[in-house]
């Protein structure tokens, strides 16, 4: 399709929107903070995706040690028949970059014709088992599994070079969902080309390797995907499940189709089979078994195909006859949803990101295929990889050369398109209507920006901010009217839109949090904590007000209490607050849990804002009571003295903090009721009904495969 007026309009509107937001940011945040936002928007400081492979170490043998734990989480089983240099290279790779998880390595020497057994016996920490006679791949794997002590088994070919982080990525995949039965790694050739990202079955029983010889970083091959089976070259599953299913089936001895058969038995048990591309393993295909289908062990591949096809005839009858069609994911009929936001979410940085990532998780649980396109089209390193690891298809440059071109190509896939934030929706809505006319368009406000800006202008008394807020109001309400559905995060915003946009369809989808639990008891907790990024003007105002007007009164009565301030993008004005006795400016911390579980009280002294405050939810989800302003507790079904303490004046806020800090009975009551509030209103369980109604119900098959 040629370049259109809609495409030209999108580029013009986007450029003008970025310019206006830059000017507004200059007024609110200053030059330095604005430059940081511009850099983030255009990815100036963002890491780029890269693929640097660990090469096989084929040097002469010298004794070395491999990881070995008495109570391993994972047992790696490596069947060996000769090819000692490759076996050593495999073990050296694991030893050089040991996983974080506890493990043991069991090498099963299958009566090797060379001196493998004698040499391997000199490796420290290795559990070596020698077979009295050659039993083939299946026999060796089953023998190794019988010796395993780990909760999970990981079958690994000896002609592989596992890349750093591979095992931990596979193990983490099981932790994310209880219905996962098998996880496989992404296999690549030594030259970096993709060997396979899982395998799909053709109707005659053959396997179609996903992405063979393709770019392993391509977005359509880089996300954790449900597949028919994964190669036994790097396959992990719970040991109890393997034992319950009877191990690899000996009818396929010596090898081939045992991995596909095991995967279908796992699927028969109601469990999923996933390929996890975050686990990368270089596979020297053909080293151990050759490539000639007419002779040697490889001949068993052709011999076992009809055996496998006959056993699974009913399942295979549902698979495509064409190999190309068989290898495509998602399968035809799976509803797909596209989500567009300004940048890739970083859930450890802000509550909006956490809400969006948890929404994607709920959509995946509901059976939808989720595609995410950041408006800046940047690969954000770990943040992008984290989405891909949970099964989200994330697009970025150079694979998405432009938003307009990408939507022209992919728009027909989607039954739903969700646009986050009013300025993103304003820019993208015409393109989506043109290139995805079949899709229902959902506007996710994150929070009503115009409400927050109007309140900020009122606090500051700045007429320019008031005019900017009115412009935001007009644009945001225009987007609400033009979209099929609008999501807001609080009942008060539902009521506001009922007045300001009465014809709009509006649904409540609030913050989404996992329940961490009560954490430490009262006596083991100390100090106060505030959490919030300082790109957000309400947080800047809140901390300045707290330190300047509230904290001195608290310290006068509680002289040992410290105030921990956590949040990224600390500017000079916030950093200077650390000169006040008892104030600690931490900036961003990778793991916030110690502060949630260790600080006695969280404070939320926001004087303006909108939406639901993730900082309040986060603390309550950890059993940490909160002292907040009325604005900070808005729309959260909280009641003063029951699950929160509320105060809007500086002296009253200080009194509430001191009272709660010293009263264990009050503290315990608020902690318990705060947890209940999050469970009832802000947990993933609480949101499932809305997610089903907005995204899943009525999603038809009008979208193209």
């Amino acid at each position: 399709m040629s370049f259109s007026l809609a495409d030209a309009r999108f580029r013009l509107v986007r450029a003008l929107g970025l310019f206006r937001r830059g000017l507004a940011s200059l007024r609110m945040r200053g030059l330095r903070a604005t430059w940081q936002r511009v850099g983030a928007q255009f990815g100036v400081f963002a890491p780029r995706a890269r693929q640097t492979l660990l090469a096989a170490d084929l040097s002469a043998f010298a004794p070395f040690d491999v990881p070995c734990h008495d109570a391993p989480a994972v047992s790696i089983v490596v069947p060996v028949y000769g090819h000692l240099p490759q076996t050593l290279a495999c073990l050296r790779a694991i030893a050089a970059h040991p996983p974080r998880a506890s493990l043991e390595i069991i090498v099963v020497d299958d009566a090797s014709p060379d001196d493998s057994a004698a040499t391997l016996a000199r490796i420290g920490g290795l559990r070596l088992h020698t077979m009295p006679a050659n039993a083939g791949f299946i026999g060796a794997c089953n023998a190794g599994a019988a010796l395993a002590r780990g909760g999970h088994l990981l079958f690994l070919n000896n002609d592989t070079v596992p890349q750093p982080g591979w095992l931990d990525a596979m193990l983490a995949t099981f932790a994310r969902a209880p219905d996962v039965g098998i996880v496989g790694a992404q296999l690549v050739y030594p030259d970096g080309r993709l060997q396979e990202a899982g395998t799909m079955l053709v109707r005659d029983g053959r396997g179609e390797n996903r992405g063979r010889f393709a770019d392993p970083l391509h977005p359509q091959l880089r996300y954790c995907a449900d597949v028919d089976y994964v190669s036994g070259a790097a396959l992990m599953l719970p040991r109890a499940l393997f034992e319950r299913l009877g191990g690899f089936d000996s009818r396929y001895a010596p090898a081939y189709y045992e991995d596909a058969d095991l995967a279908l038995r796992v699927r028969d048990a109601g469990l999923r089979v996933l390929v996890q591309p975050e686990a990368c393993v270089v596979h020297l295909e053909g080293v151990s078994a050759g490539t000639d289908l007419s002779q040697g062990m490889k001949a068993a591949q052709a011999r076992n195909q009809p055996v496998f096809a006959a056993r699974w005839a009913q399942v295979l009858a549902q698979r495509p006859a064409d190999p190309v069609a068989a290898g495509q994911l998602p399968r035809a009929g799976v509803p797909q949803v596209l989500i567009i936001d300004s940048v890739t979410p970083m859930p450890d940085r802000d509550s909006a990101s956490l809400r969006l990532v948890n929404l994607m998780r709920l959509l995946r649980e509901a059976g939808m295929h989720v595609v995410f396109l950041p408006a800046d089209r940047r690969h954000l390193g770990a943040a992008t990889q984290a989405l891909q690891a949970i099964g989200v298809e994330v697009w970025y440059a150079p694979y998405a050369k432009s938003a307009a071109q990408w939507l022209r190509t992919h728009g027909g896939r989607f039954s739903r398109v969700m646009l986050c934030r009013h300025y993103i929706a304003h820019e993208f809505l015409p393109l989506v209507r043109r290139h995805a006319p079949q899709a229902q368009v959902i506007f996710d406000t994150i929070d009503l920006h115009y409400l927050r800006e109007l309140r900020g202008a009122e606090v500051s008394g700045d007429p320019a901010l008031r005019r900017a807020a009115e412009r935001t109001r007009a644009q945001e309400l225009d987007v609400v009217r033009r979209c099929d559905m609008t999501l807001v995060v609080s009942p008060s915003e539902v009521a506001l839109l009922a007045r300001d946009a009465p014809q709009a369809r509006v649904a409540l989808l609030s913050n989404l949090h996992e329940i961490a639990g009560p954490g430490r008891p009262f006596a083991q907790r100390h100090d106060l904590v505030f959490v919030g990024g300082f790109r957000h003007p309400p947080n800047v105002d809140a901390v300045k007000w707290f330190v300047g007007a509230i904290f001195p009164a608290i310290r006068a009565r509680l002289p040992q209490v410290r105030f921990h301030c956590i949040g990224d993008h600390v500017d000079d004005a916030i950093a200077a607050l650390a000169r006040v006795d008892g104030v600690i400016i931490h900036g961003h911390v990778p793991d916030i849990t110690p502060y949630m579980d260790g600080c006695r009280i969280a404070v939320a002294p926001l004087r303006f804002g909108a939406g639901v405050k993730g900082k309040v939810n986060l603390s309550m989800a950890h059993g940490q009571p909160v002292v907040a302003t009325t604005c900070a507790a808005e729309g959260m079904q909280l009641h003063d003295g029951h699950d929160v303490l509320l105060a809007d004046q500086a002296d009253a806020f200080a009194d509430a903090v001191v009272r709660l800090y010293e009263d264990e009975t009050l503290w315990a009551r608020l902690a318990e009721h705060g947890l209940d509030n999050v469970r009832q209103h802000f947990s993933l369980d609480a949101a499932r009904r809305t997610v089903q109604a907005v995204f899943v119900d009525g999603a038809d098959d009008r979208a193209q495969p």
Side-chain angles (χ1 to χ4, degrees):
M1 186 179 294
S2 60
F3 187 77
S4 68
L5 288 177
D7 299 340
R9 179 190 181 281
F10 166 75
R11 295 185 182 184
L12 176 61
V13 169
R14 180 155 176 77
L16 290 174
L18 289 170
F19 178 73
R20 292 194 188 101
R21 294 199 298 279
L23 290 179
S25 181
L26 277 173
R27 286 194 296 270
M28 290 187 293
R29 301 177 176 88
L31 180 60
R32 180 179 176 184
T34 297
W35 171 241
Q36 289 176 339
R37 288 176 69 86
V38 170
Q41 182 71 27
F42 289 99
V44 175
F45 309 114
R48 299 183 184 276
R50 57 178 61 88
Q51 183 89 335
T52 302
L53 295 175
L54 179 69
D57 180 356
L58 298 174
S59 59
F61 177 76
F64 62 98
D65 294 339
V66 295
C68 183
H69 300 84
D70 292 334
V74 180
S75 297
I76 303 176
V77 177
V78 184
V80 168
Y81 181 70
H83 302 287
L84 177 61
Q86 283 72 38
T87 304
L88 293 175
C90 174
L91 297 175
R92 284 170 176 149
I94 300 173
H97 300 275
R100 293 191 303 270
S102 59
L103 60 91
E104 64 177 355
I105 303 176
I106 302 170
V107 170
V108 180
D109 185 83
D110 197 19
S112 292
D114 59 11
D115 60 349
S116 287
T119 303
L120 295 172
R122 300 170 62 192
I123 298 175
L126 188 70
R127 295 186 63 195
L128 178 65
H129 177 71
T130 57
M131 301 289 285
N134 183 265
F137 180 85
I138 292 174
C141 284
N142 285 342
L147 300 172
R149 299 172 297 174
H152 285 77
L153 294 171
L154 201 171
F155 296 101
L156 182 68
N157 276 18
N158 67 325
D159 57 352
T160 59
V161 182
Q163 301 298 295
W166 68 296
L167 185 149
D168 294 312
M170 295 174 79
L171 190 60
T173 307
F174 287 96
R176 293 189 189 102
D179 61 345
V180 176
I182 286 178
V183 174
Q186 186 188 70
L187 303 180
V188 298
Y189 291 104
D191 63 4
R193 292 175 303 156
L194 181 63
Q195 188 176 118
E196 66 175 77
T199 303
M200 308 302 288
L201 289 166
V202 186
R203 189 170 300 167
D204 63 4
R206 288 177 297 152
E208 179 69 15
N209 299 137
R210 289 183 64 237
R212 195 171 185 84
F213 305 127
D215 178 357
L217 297 179
H218 193 283
Q220 289 184 297
L221 297 166
R222 192 64 183 174
Y223 65 91
C224 183
D226 287 85
V227 294
D228 282 335
Y229 72 96
V230 296
S231 170
L235 181 158
M236 182 187 285
L237 79 167
R239 179 163 59 94
L241 175 63
F242 187 75
E243 293 171 351
R244 188 169 79 243
L245 296 177
F248 287 122
D249 195 327
S250 60
R251 79 180 69 192
Y252 302 104
Y256 292 105
Y257 280 94
E258 76 288 334
D259 44 13
D261 178 86
L262 178 66
L264 291 191
R265 285 186 282 145
V266 165
R267 292 166 65 91
D268 251 6
L271 299 172
R272 298 162 64 196
V273 176
L274 302 177
V275 60
Q276 177 54 271
E278 282 303 298
C280 179
V281 172
V282 172
H283 184 209
L284 309 174
E285 188 179 43
V287 168
S288 57
T291 58
D292 188 348
L293 294 174
S294 66
Q295 61 180 343
M297 191 165 65
K298 195 72 175 176
Q301 184 173 346
R303 184 173 66 250
N304 284 342
Q305 180 184 337
V307 177
F308 174 79
R311 181 176 187 183
W312 296 102
Q314 288 185 321
V315 172
L316 294 173
Q318 303 168 27
R319 298 294 187 264
D322 176 60
V324 174
Q328 291 177 344
L329 282 180
R331 288 195 175 100
V334 174
Q336 301 189 49
V337 58
L338 169 65
I339 299 174
I340 302 177
D341 199 357
S342 55
V343 295
T344 301
M346 293 183 285
D348 62 337
R349 302 272 178 165
D350 62 89
S351 61
S353 290
L354 179 62
R355 173 178 173 271
L356 183 56
V357 170
N358 281 334
L359 172 59
M360 294 184 197
R361 291 173 56 196
L362 289 175
L363 291 169
R364 292 282 296 129
E365 288 178 16
M368 299 198 80
H369 180 70
V370 181
V371 180
F372 179 72
L373 176 69
D376 64 356
R377 296 178 296 107
R378 296 288 175 174
H379 189 292
L380 275 190
T384 298
Q385 293 166 354
L387 285 184
Q388 293 170 323
I390 64 171
V392 177
E393 180 184 326
V394 186
W395 283 79
Y396 36 80
Y399 308 99
K401 292 184 172 58
S402 75
Q405 182 187 63
W406 188 89
L407 280 165
R408 283 198 301 272
T409 302
H410 295 274
R413 296 167 57 183
F414 304 108
S415 61
R416 301 284 194 277
V417 175
M418 188 176 87
L419 305 174
C420 304
R421 306 172 205 275
H422 70 92
Y423 50 87
I424 294 296
H426 176 70
E427 295 163 0
F428 277 84
L429 187 55
L431 276 183
V432 171
R433 291 298 193 197
R434 175 178 176 82
H435 299 303
Q438 77 290 338
Q440 290 191 23
V441 181
I442 300 162
F443 169 38
D444 184 20
T445 61
I446 309 297
D447 61 32
L448 284 175
H449 286 51
Y450 76 84
L451 177 61
R452 168 161 47 87
E453 291 181 15
L454 285 170
R455 289 172 171 174
E458 182 179 348
V459 169
S460 69
D462 187 338
L465 291 180
R466 176 76 189 193
R467 290 191 296 271
E470 291 291 353
R471 288 193 295 270
T472 297
R473 180 180 184 275
Q475 185 182 95
E476 198 161 17
L477 290 177
D478 178 64
V479 170
V480 169
R481 295 184 189 103
R482 291 162 57 204
C483 288
D484 301 309
M485 172 69 74
T486 295
L487 299 179
V488 295
V489 296
S490 75
S492 59
E493 292 186 347
V494 173
L496 181 61
L497 287 184
R499 185 192 70 197
D500 289 355
Q503 303 304 315
R505 293 178 61 207
V506 179
L508 174 63
L509 185 66
S510 199
N511 288 352
L512 302 170
H513 292 268
E514 292 187 280
I515 306 300
R520 295 181 187 174
F522 176 89
Q524 296 180 20
R525 291 175 177 259
H526 306 280
D527 297 338
L528 314 177
V529 65
F530 173 91
V531 178
F534 294 105
R535 281 181 179 172
H536 195 51
N539 290 336
V540 176
D541 175 81
V543 169
K544 288 181 177 179
W545 182 55
F546 182 81
V547 173
I550 301 171
F551 190 57
I554 295 173
R555 282 277 285 188
R557 296 157 67 182
L558 300 172
Q560 302 305 314
V561 166
R562 297 174 299 173
F563 173 52
H564 299 271
C565 184
I566 297 172
D568 59 2
H569 302 288
V570 173
D571 61 15
D572 292 340
I574 295 297
L577 298 177
R579 292 196 289 265
V580 176
D581 286 344
V583 175
I584 305 172
I585 306 297
H586 293 277
H588 172 69
V589 297
D591 183 9
I592 203 170
T593 302
Y595 298 94
M596 295 294 97
D597 290 343
C599 289
R600 187 171 292 180
I601 299 172
V603 294
L606 277 73
R607 297 194 291 175
F608 65 95
V612 169
K613 312 308 180 293
K615 57 177 63 65
V616 176
N617 295 143
L618 178 66
S619 290
M620 290 183 172
H622 282 263
Q624 183 180 63
V626 178
V627 178
T629 58
T630 303
C631 175
E634 180 182 46
M636 302 181 68
Q637 296 84 39
L638 295 170
H639 303 283
D640 188 23
H642 178 74
D643 38 27
V644 69
L645 291 186
L646 299 178
D648 292 321
Q649 303 303 317
D651 55 351
F653 203 103
D655 288 343
V657 170
V658 173
R659 176 188 169 204
L660 181 57
Y661 200 88
E662 296 180 325
D663 189 337
E664 182 173 358
T665 301
L666 174 63
W667 186 94
R669 182 170 73 245
L670 265 59
E672 179 185 356
H673 294 162
L675 274 168
D676 290 342
N677 177 271
V678 176
R679 289 191 188 98
Q680 185 175 352
H681 301 291
F682 305 106
S683 65
L684 273 64
D685 287 339
R688 283 190 170 88
R689 182 178 299 178
T690 299
V691 170
Q692 181 74 27
V694 172
F695 291 93
V696 182
D697 292 348
D700 53 36
D701 58 0
R702 288 180 295 163
Q704 301 168 8

